[in-house]
Short mmCIF file of all heavy atoms in Angstrom, two decimals:
data_model
loop_
_atom_site.label_atom_id
_atom_site.label_comp_id
_atom_site.label_asym_id
_atom_site.label_seq_id
_atom_site.Cartn_x
_atom_site.Cartn_y
_atom_site.Cartn_z
N MET G 45 13.83 55.36 -23.52
CA MET G 45 14.22 55.77 -22.19
C MET G 45 12.98 55.88 -21.30
O MET G 45 11.93 56.32 -21.75
CB MET G 45 14.94 57.12 -22.27
CG MET G 45 15.59 57.56 -20.99
SD MET G 45 16.45 59.14 -21.25
CE MET G 45 18.14 58.60 -21.39
N LYS G 46 13.13 55.42 -20.06
CA LYS G 46 12.00 55.47 -19.13
C LYS G 46 12.40 56.22 -17.87
O LYS G 46 13.54 56.15 -17.43
CB LYS G 46 11.58 54.04 -18.73
CG LYS G 46 10.87 53.30 -19.84
CD LYS G 46 10.35 51.97 -19.34
CE LYS G 46 9.61 51.27 -20.48
NZ LYS G 46 9.08 49.98 -20.08
N ALA G 47 11.41 56.89 -17.28
CA ALA G 47 11.64 57.60 -16.04
C ALA G 47 10.69 57.07 -14.98
O ALA G 47 9.59 56.59 -15.28
CB ALA G 47 11.42 59.10 -16.23
N LYS G 48 11.15 57.14 -13.73
CA LYS G 48 10.33 56.65 -12.63
C LYS G 48 10.59 57.54 -11.41
O LYS G 48 11.74 57.91 -11.14
CB LYS G 48 10.73 55.21 -12.31
CG LYS G 48 9.97 54.57 -11.16
CD LYS G 48 10.29 53.08 -11.12
CE LYS G 48 9.56 52.41 -9.97
NZ LYS G 48 10.29 52.48 -8.71
N VAL G 49 9.53 57.86 -10.69
CA VAL G 49 9.67 58.60 -9.44
C VAL G 49 9.48 57.62 -8.29
O VAL G 49 8.42 57.00 -8.15
CB VAL G 49 8.64 59.74 -9.34
CG1 VAL G 49 8.80 60.48 -8.01
CG2 VAL G 49 8.82 60.72 -10.51
N ASN G 50 10.50 57.46 -7.49
CA ASN G 50 10.44 56.55 -6.34
C ASN G 50 9.81 57.24 -5.14
O ASN G 50 9.54 58.44 -5.16
CB ASN G 50 11.85 56.06 -6.01
CG ASN G 50 12.47 55.29 -7.17
OD1 ASN G 50 11.92 54.31 -7.62
ND2 ASN G 50 13.60 55.78 -7.66
N GLU G 51 9.62 56.49 -4.07
CA GLU G 51 9.05 57.07 -2.85
C GLU G 51 9.97 58.14 -2.28
O GLU G 51 11.19 58.02 -2.37
CB GLU G 51 8.85 55.97 -1.80
CG GLU G 51 7.56 55.20 -2.02
CD GLU G 51 7.26 54.28 -0.84
OE1 GLU G 51 7.50 54.68 0.31
OE2 GLU G 51 6.80 53.17 -1.11
N GLY G 52 9.37 59.16 -1.70
CA GLY G 52 10.16 60.19 -1.05
C GLY G 52 10.06 61.56 -1.67
O GLY G 52 10.71 62.50 -1.22
N CYS G 53 9.25 61.68 -2.72
CA CYS G 53 9.06 62.99 -3.36
C CYS G 53 8.53 64.00 -2.34
O CYS G 53 7.62 63.71 -1.58
CB CYS G 53 8.07 62.83 -4.51
SG CYS G 53 7.47 64.39 -5.20
N ILE G 54 9.14 65.19 -2.34
CA ILE G 54 8.70 66.24 -1.41
C ILE G 54 7.91 67.33 -2.13
O ILE G 54 7.73 68.43 -1.61
CB ILE G 54 9.90 66.85 -0.66
CG1 ILE G 54 10.93 67.43 -1.64
CG2 ILE G 54 10.55 65.81 0.25
CD1 ILE G 54 12.03 68.25 -0.97
N SER G 55 7.47 67.03 -3.36
CA SER G 55 6.56 67.92 -4.10
C SER G 55 7.15 69.30 -4.36
O SER G 55 6.42 70.29 -4.34
CB SER G 55 5.22 68.05 -3.36
OG SER G 55 4.67 66.77 -3.10
N CYS G 56 8.44 69.35 -4.63
CA CYS G 56 9.07 70.66 -4.84
C CYS G 56 8.73 71.24 -6.21
O CYS G 56 8.79 72.45 -6.40
CB CYS G 56 10.58 70.55 -4.68
SG CYS G 56 11.41 69.76 -6.07
N GLY G 57 8.44 70.38 -7.18
CA GLY G 57 8.05 70.86 -8.50
C GLY G 57 9.18 71.00 -9.50
O GLY G 57 8.96 71.35 -10.65
N ALA G 58 10.41 70.71 -9.09
CA ALA G 58 11.55 70.91 -10.00
C ALA G 58 11.45 70.04 -11.24
O ALA G 58 11.72 70.50 -12.35
CB ALA G 58 12.85 70.64 -9.26
N CYS G 59 11.07 68.79 -11.08
CA CYS G 59 11.02 67.90 -12.25
C CYS G 59 9.90 68.30 -13.19
O CYS G 59 10.06 68.25 -14.41
CB CYS G 59 10.86 66.45 -11.81
SG CYS G 59 9.36 66.09 -10.87
N VAL G 60 8.77 68.70 -12.63
CA VAL G 60 7.64 69.12 -13.47
C VAL G 60 8.01 70.38 -14.25
O VAL G 60 7.67 70.52 -15.42
CB VAL G 60 6.39 69.36 -12.60
CG1 VAL G 60 5.21 69.79 -13.45
CG2 VAL G 60 6.05 68.10 -11.81
N ALA G 61 8.75 71.27 -13.61
CA ALA G 61 9.17 72.50 -14.28
C ALA G 61 10.21 72.19 -15.36
O ALA G 61 10.17 72.77 -16.45
CB ALA G 61 9.75 73.48 -13.27
N ALA G 62 11.12 71.25 -15.08
CA ALA G 62 12.20 70.96 -16.02
C ALA G 62 11.71 70.17 -17.22
O ALA G 62 12.20 70.35 -18.34
CB ALA G 62 13.32 70.20 -15.31
N CYS G 63 10.73 69.29 -17.02
CA CYS G 63 10.30 68.42 -18.11
C CYS G 63 8.83 68.02 -17.95
O CYS G 63 8.52 66.88 -17.60
CB CYS G 63 11.19 67.18 -18.17
SG CYS G 63 10.93 66.19 -19.66
N PRO G 64 7.93 68.95 -18.23
CA PRO G 64 6.50 68.66 -18.07
C PRO G 64 5.98 67.64 -19.08
O PRO G 64 4.87 67.12 -18.90
CB PRO G 64 5.83 70.02 -18.27
CG PRO G 64 6.81 70.82 -19.07
CD PRO G 64 8.17 70.34 -18.65
N GLU G 65 6.77 67.33 -20.10
CA GLU G 65 6.35 66.31 -21.07
C GLU G 65 6.45 64.91 -20.49
O GLU G 65 5.91 63.95 -21.05
CB GLU G 65 7.20 66.40 -22.33
CG GLU G 65 7.02 67.68 -23.11
CD GLU G 65 7.86 68.84 -22.56
OE1 GLU G 65 8.64 68.63 -21.61
OE2 GLU G 65 7.71 69.95 -23.09
N VAL G 66 7.16 64.77 -19.36
CA VAL G 66 7.35 63.45 -18.75
C VAL G 66 6.82 63.41 -17.32
O VAL G 66 6.27 62.39 -16.88
CB VAL G 66 8.85 63.06 -18.76
CG1 VAL G 66 9.09 61.77 -17.98
CG2 VAL G 66 9.35 62.92 -20.20
N PHE G 67 6.96 64.51 -16.60
CA PHE G 67 6.60 64.52 -15.17
C PHE G 67 5.39 65.41 -14.91
O PHE G 67 5.24 66.48 -15.51
CB PHE G 67 7.78 65.03 -14.33
CG PHE G 67 9.01 64.18 -14.45
CD1 PHE G 67 10.03 64.53 -15.33
CD2 PHE G 67 9.15 63.03 -13.70
CE1 PHE G 67 11.17 63.75 -15.47
CE2 PHE G 67 10.29 62.23 -13.83
CZ PHE G 67 11.30 62.60 -14.71
N ARG G 68 4.56 64.97 -13.99
CA ARG G 68 3.41 65.77 -13.56
C ARG G 68 3.13 65.40 -12.10
O ARG G 68 3.62 64.39 -11.59
CB ARG G 68 2.19 65.48 -14.42
CG ARG G 68 1.64 64.08 -14.22
CD ARG G 68 0.44 63.82 -15.11
NE ARG G 68 0.01 62.43 -14.99
CZ ARG G 68 -0.78 61.81 -15.87
NH1 ARG G 68 -1.23 62.47 -16.93
NH2 ARG G 68 -1.13 60.55 -15.70
N PHE G 69 2.27 66.21 -11.48
CA PHE G 69 1.82 65.89 -10.13
C PHE G 69 0.57 65.02 -10.22
O PHE G 69 -0.33 65.29 -11.03
CB PHE G 69 1.50 67.16 -9.35
CG PHE G 69 2.71 67.90 -8.87
CD1 PHE G 69 2.96 69.20 -9.28
CD2 PHE G 69 3.61 67.30 -7.99
CE1 PHE G 69 4.08 69.89 -8.85
CE2 PHE G 69 4.74 67.98 -7.55
CZ PHE G 69 4.97 69.28 -7.98
N ASN G 70 0.49 64.00 -9.39
CA ASN G 70 -0.73 63.21 -9.34
C ASN G 70 -1.73 63.90 -8.39
O ASN G 70 -1.46 64.99 -7.87
CB ASN G 70 -0.45 61.75 -8.93
CG ASN G 70 0.06 61.62 -7.51
OD1 ASN G 70 -0.10 62.51 -6.68
ND2 ASN G 70 0.69 60.49 -7.22
N ASP G 71 -2.87 63.28 -8.18
CA ASP G 71 -3.92 63.90 -7.36
C ASP G 71 -3.50 64.10 -5.91
O ASP G 71 -4.09 64.91 -5.20
CB ASP G 71 -5.19 63.05 -7.42
CG ASP G 71 -5.85 63.10 -8.79
OD1 ASP G 71 -5.51 64.03 -9.57
OD2 ASP G 71 -6.67 62.22 -9.09
N ASP G 72 -2.48 63.37 -5.48
CA ASP G 72 -2.00 63.52 -4.11
C ASP G 72 -0.88 64.55 -4.00
O ASP G 72 -0.31 64.75 -2.92
CB ASP G 72 -1.48 62.17 -3.59
CG ASP G 72 -2.60 61.14 -3.48
OD1 ASP G 72 -3.73 61.54 -3.14
OD2 ASP G 72 -2.34 59.95 -3.73
N GLY G 73 -0.55 65.20 -5.12
CA GLY G 73 0.49 66.20 -5.10
C GLY G 73 1.90 65.64 -5.14
O GLY G 73 2.87 66.32 -4.83
N ILE G 74 1.99 64.37 -5.52
CA ILE G 74 3.29 63.71 -5.65
C ILE G 74 3.63 63.61 -7.13
O ILE G 74 2.76 63.34 -7.97
CB ILE G 74 3.22 62.29 -5.04
CG1 ILE G 74 2.83 62.35 -3.55
CG2 ILE G 74 4.54 61.56 -5.22
CD1 ILE G 74 3.80 63.09 -2.67
N ALA G 75 4.89 63.82 -7.45
CA ALA G 75 5.30 63.75 -8.85
C ALA G 75 5.26 62.31 -9.34
O ALA G 75 5.54 61.36 -8.60
CB ALA G 75 6.71 64.32 -9.01
N GLU G 76 4.92 62.17 -10.63
CA GLU G 76 4.96 60.88 -11.28
C GLU G 76 5.44 61.08 -12.71
O GLU G 76 5.30 62.15 -13.29
CB GLU G 76 3.57 60.22 -11.29
CG GLU G 76 2.55 61.01 -12.11
CD GLU G 76 1.17 60.38 -12.10
OE1 GLU G 76 0.96 59.40 -11.39
OE2 GLU G 76 0.30 60.89 -12.84
N ALA G 77 6.03 60.01 -13.25
CA ALA G 77 6.39 60.02 -14.66
C ALA G 77 5.22 59.38 -15.40
O ALA G 77 4.90 58.23 -15.16
CB ALA G 77 7.67 59.22 -14.88
N TYR G 78 4.59 60.15 -16.25
CA TYR G 78 3.35 59.68 -16.88
C TYR G 78 3.52 59.30 -18.33
O TYR G 78 2.57 58.83 -18.97
CB TYR G 78 2.25 60.74 -16.74
CG TYR G 78 2.47 62.00 -17.56
CD1 TYR G 78 1.88 62.14 -18.81
CD2 TYR G 78 3.28 63.02 -17.10
CE1 TYR G 78 2.08 63.28 -19.58
CE2 TYR G 78 3.50 64.16 -17.85
CZ TYR G 78 2.89 64.29 -19.08
OH TYR G 78 3.10 65.41 -19.84
N ALA G 79 4.70 59.48 -18.86
CA ALA G 79 4.91 59.15 -20.27
C ALA G 79 6.32 58.62 -20.46
O ALA G 79 7.22 58.93 -19.70
CB ALA G 79 4.73 60.41 -21.12
N GLU G 80 6.48 57.78 -21.49
CA GLU G 80 7.83 57.36 -21.87
C GLU G 80 8.61 58.59 -22.30
O GLU G 80 8.04 59.57 -22.79
CB GLU G 80 7.74 56.38 -23.05
CG GLU G 80 7.30 55.01 -22.63
CD GLU G 80 8.29 53.94 -23.08
OE1 GLU G 80 9.30 54.28 -23.72
OE2 GLU G 80 8.05 52.77 -22.78
N VAL G 81 9.90 58.53 -22.10
CA VAL G 81 10.74 59.67 -22.47
C VAL G 81 11.05 59.58 -23.96
O VAL G 81 11.83 58.73 -24.40
CB VAL G 81 12.04 59.68 -21.65
CG1 VAL G 81 12.87 60.90 -22.01
CG2 VAL G 81 11.73 59.65 -20.15
N ALA G 82 10.43 60.44 -24.74
CA ALA G 82 10.71 60.49 -26.18
C ALA G 82 12.12 61.03 -26.39
O ALA G 82 12.64 61.76 -25.54
CB ALA G 82 9.69 61.38 -26.86
N PRO G 83 12.75 60.66 -27.50
CA PRO G 83 14.15 61.09 -27.72
C PRO G 83 14.37 62.59 -27.54
O PRO G 83 15.39 63.00 -26.97
CB PRO G 83 14.40 60.67 -29.17
CG PRO G 83 13.51 59.48 -29.37
CD PRO G 83 12.26 59.79 -28.57
N GLU G 84 13.44 63.39 -27.98
CA GLU G 84 13.64 64.84 -27.87
C GLU G 84 13.55 65.35 -26.44
O GLU G 84 13.92 66.50 -26.16
CB GLU G 84 12.65 65.60 -28.77
CG GLU G 84 11.19 65.38 -28.45
CD GLU G 84 10.55 64.28 -29.28
OE1 GLU G 84 11.21 63.23 -29.47
OE2 GLU G 84 9.41 64.45 -29.70
N TYR G 85 13.07 64.52 -25.53
CA TYR G 85 12.96 64.96 -24.13
C TYR G 85 13.95 64.26 -23.21
O TYR G 85 13.87 64.38 -21.99
CB TYR G 85 11.54 64.72 -23.62
CG TYR G 85 10.52 65.51 -24.41
CD1 TYR G 85 9.42 64.89 -24.99
CD2 TYR G 85 10.66 66.90 -24.58
CE1 TYR G 85 8.50 65.61 -25.74
CE2 TYR G 85 9.75 67.62 -25.32
CZ TYR G 85 8.67 66.97 -25.90
OH TYR G 85 7.77 67.69 -26.64
N GLU G 86 14.90 63.53 -23.80
CA GLU G 86 15.88 62.83 -22.95
C GLU G 86 16.71 63.82 -22.13
O GLU G 86 16.96 63.61 -20.95
CB GLU G 86 16.78 61.95 -23.81
CG GLU G 86 16.04 60.73 -24.35
CD GLU G 86 16.93 59.79 -25.14
OE1 GLU G 86 18.13 60.06 -25.29
OE2 GLU G 86 16.40 58.77 -25.60
N LYS G 87 17.15 64.90 -22.78
CA LYS G 87 17.99 65.86 -22.06
C LYS G 87 17.22 66.52 -20.91
O LYS G 87 17.70 66.53 -19.78
CB LYS G 87 18.53 66.89 -23.04
CG LYS G 87 19.58 67.80 -22.46
CD LYS G 87 20.39 68.48 -23.58
CE LYS G 87 21.44 69.43 -23.02
NZ LYS G 87 20.89 70.73 -22.68
N PRO G 88 16.03 67.08 -21.14
CA PRO G 88 15.30 67.67 -20.01
C PRO G 88 14.91 66.64 -18.95
O PRO G 88 14.84 66.97 -17.76
CB PRO G 88 14.08 68.33 -20.65
CG PRO G 88 14.00 67.81 -22.03
CD PRO G 88 15.39 67.40 -22.43
N ALA G 89 14.67 65.39 -19.36
CA ALA G 89 14.34 64.37 -18.36
C ALA G 89 15.54 64.10 -17.46
O ALA G 89 15.39 63.93 -16.23
CB ALA G 89 13.89 63.09 -19.04
N LEU G 90 16.73 64.08 -18.04
CA LEU G 90 17.94 63.89 -17.23
C LEU G 90 18.19 65.11 -16.34
O LEU G 90 18.63 64.99 -15.20
CB LEU G 90 19.14 63.62 -18.14
CG LEU G 90 19.12 62.26 -18.84
CD1 LEU G 90 20.19 62.19 -19.92
CD2 LEU G 90 19.31 61.14 -17.82
N GLU G 91 17.88 66.30 -16.87
CA GLU G 91 18.02 67.51 -16.06
C GLU G 91 17.04 67.48 -14.89
O GLU G 91 17.36 67.91 -13.78
CB GLU G 91 17.78 68.74 -16.94
CG GLU G 91 18.93 69.00 -17.90
CD GLU G 91 18.65 70.08 -18.94
OE1 GLU G 91 17.51 70.62 -18.96
OE2 GLU G 91 19.55 70.37 -19.73
N ALA G 92 15.84 66.96 -15.15
CA ALA G 92 14.84 66.84 -14.07
C ALA G 92 15.35 65.90 -12.99
O ALA G 92 15.24 66.18 -11.80
CB ALA G 92 13.52 66.34 -14.65
N ARG G 93 15.93 64.78 -13.42
CA ARG G 93 16.49 63.83 -12.45
C ARG G 93 17.57 64.52 -11.61
O ARG G 93 17.59 64.40 -10.38
CB ARG G 93 17.10 62.63 -13.19
CG ARG G 93 17.79 61.65 -12.26
CD ARG G 93 18.69 60.70 -13.00
NE ARG G 93 19.82 61.41 -13.62
CZ ARG G 93 20.68 60.85 -14.45
NH1 ARG G 93 20.55 59.60 -14.79
NH2 ARG G 93 21.67 61.56 -14.97
N ASP G 94 18.44 65.24 -12.28
CA ASP G 94 19.55 65.88 -11.56
C ASP G 94 19.06 67.03 -10.67
O ASP G 94 19.74 67.40 -9.71
CB ASP G 94 20.59 66.39 -12.55
CG ASP G 94 21.26 65.26 -13.31
OD1 ASP G 94 21.17 64.10 -12.85
OD2 ASP G 94 21.88 65.53 -14.36
N ALA G 95 17.90 67.60 -11.00
CA ALA G 95 17.38 68.73 -10.23
C ALA G 95 16.64 68.29 -8.97
O ALA G 95 16.36 69.11 -8.09
CB ALA G 95 16.46 69.58 -11.10
N CYS G 96 16.31 67.02 -8.89
CA CYS G 96 15.51 66.55 -7.74
C CYS G 96 16.34 66.65 -6.46
O CYS G 96 17.39 66.01 -6.34
CB CYS G 96 15.07 65.11 -7.97
SG CYS G 96 14.11 64.48 -6.58
N PRO G 97 15.89 67.42 -5.48
CA PRO G 97 16.69 67.63 -4.26
C PRO G 97 16.78 66.40 -3.37
O PRO G 97 17.67 66.33 -2.51
CB PRO G 97 15.97 68.77 -3.55
CG PRO G 97 14.56 68.70 -4.04
CD PRO G 97 14.65 68.21 -5.46
N VAL G 98 15.90 65.43 -3.57
CA VAL G 98 15.95 64.23 -2.74
C VAL G 98 16.31 62.99 -3.55
O VAL G 98 16.23 61.86 -3.06
CB VAL G 98 14.63 64.03 -1.97
CG1 VAL G 98 14.51 65.07 -0.85
CG2 VAL G 98 13.41 64.12 -2.90
N SER G 99 16.71 63.19 -4.80
CA SER G 99 17.23 62.10 -5.66
C SER G 99 16.32 60.88 -5.72
O SER G 99 16.78 59.75 -5.52
CB SER G 99 18.63 61.69 -5.19
OG SER G 99 19.50 62.80 -5.21
N VAL G 100 15.05 61.11 -6.01
CA VAL G 100 14.13 59.97 -6.07
C VAL G 100 13.72 59.63 -7.51
O VAL G 100 12.87 58.78 -7.72
CB VAL G 100 12.85 60.21 -5.22
CG1 VAL G 100 13.21 60.28 -3.74
CG2 VAL G 100 12.09 61.44 -5.67
N ILE G 101 14.35 60.28 -8.49
CA ILE G 101 14.01 60.02 -9.88
C ILE G 101 15.05 59.11 -10.51
O ILE G 101 16.25 59.37 -10.43
CB ILE G 101 13.91 61.33 -10.69
CG1 ILE G 101 12.80 62.21 -10.12
CG2 ILE G 101 13.67 61.03 -12.18
CD1 ILE G 101 12.72 63.58 -10.77
N ASP G 102 14.57 58.02 -11.13
CA ASP G 102 15.44 57.16 -11.92
C ASP G 102 15.11 57.37 -13.39
O ASP G 102 13.95 57.43 -13.77
CB ASP G 102 15.18 55.68 -11.59
CG ASP G 102 15.74 55.28 -10.23
OD1 ASP G 102 16.68 55.94 -9.77
OD2 ASP G 102 15.21 54.32 -9.65
N VAL G 103 16.13 57.49 -14.21
CA VAL G 103 15.96 57.53 -15.66
C VAL G 103 16.85 56.44 -16.23
O VAL G 103 18.05 56.39 -15.96
CB VAL G 103 16.35 58.91 -16.23
CG1 VAL G 103 16.18 58.91 -17.76
CG2 VAL G 103 15.48 60.01 -15.63
N GLU G 104 16.23 55.54 -17.00
CA GLU G 104 16.96 54.38 -17.52
C GLU G 104 16.81 54.26 -19.02
O GLU G 104 15.78 54.64 -19.57
CB GLU G 104 16.42 53.09 -16.89
CG GLU G 104 16.52 53.04 -15.39
CD GLU G 104 15.82 51.81 -14.83
OE1 GLU G 104 15.05 51.18 -15.58
OE2 GLU G 104 16.02 51.51 -13.66
N GLU G 105 17.81 53.69 -19.64
CA GLU G 105 17.73 53.40 -21.09
C GLU G 105 16.67 52.35 -21.33
O GLU G 105 16.46 51.47 -20.52
CB GLU G 105 19.08 52.87 -21.59
CG GLU G 105 20.18 53.89 -21.52
CD GLU G 105 19.96 55.09 -22.44
OE1 GLU G 105 19.26 54.89 -23.47
OE2 GLU G 105 20.46 56.16 -22.15
S1 SF4 D 49 12.05 67.07 -8.26
FE1 SF4 D 49 11.93 65.30 -6.88
S2 SF4 D 49 11.06 66.08 -4.98
FE2 SF4 D 49 10.68 67.63 -6.55
S3 SF4 D 49 8.62 67.15 -7.32
FE3 SF4 D 49 10.08 66.06 -8.65
S4 SF4 D 49 10.32 64.00 -7.75
FE4 SF4 D 49 9.36 65.34 -6.21
#
């Protein structure tokens, strides 16, 4: 499973809080997915996607 943060992140921190194993802030304060989603983190990664207030996170098989 892979995650991607598209343009439009408002730096709210919800995804980083929900799944820090996949999401982090880059040097510009924008969230990025920095790791493949390991099986044990699929659920929190999907929760992070659903928690994004501007719906800019894609999670794909
Ligand atoms: S939840 Fe969405 S808006 Fe908030 S930091 Fe993550 S990608 Fe950005």
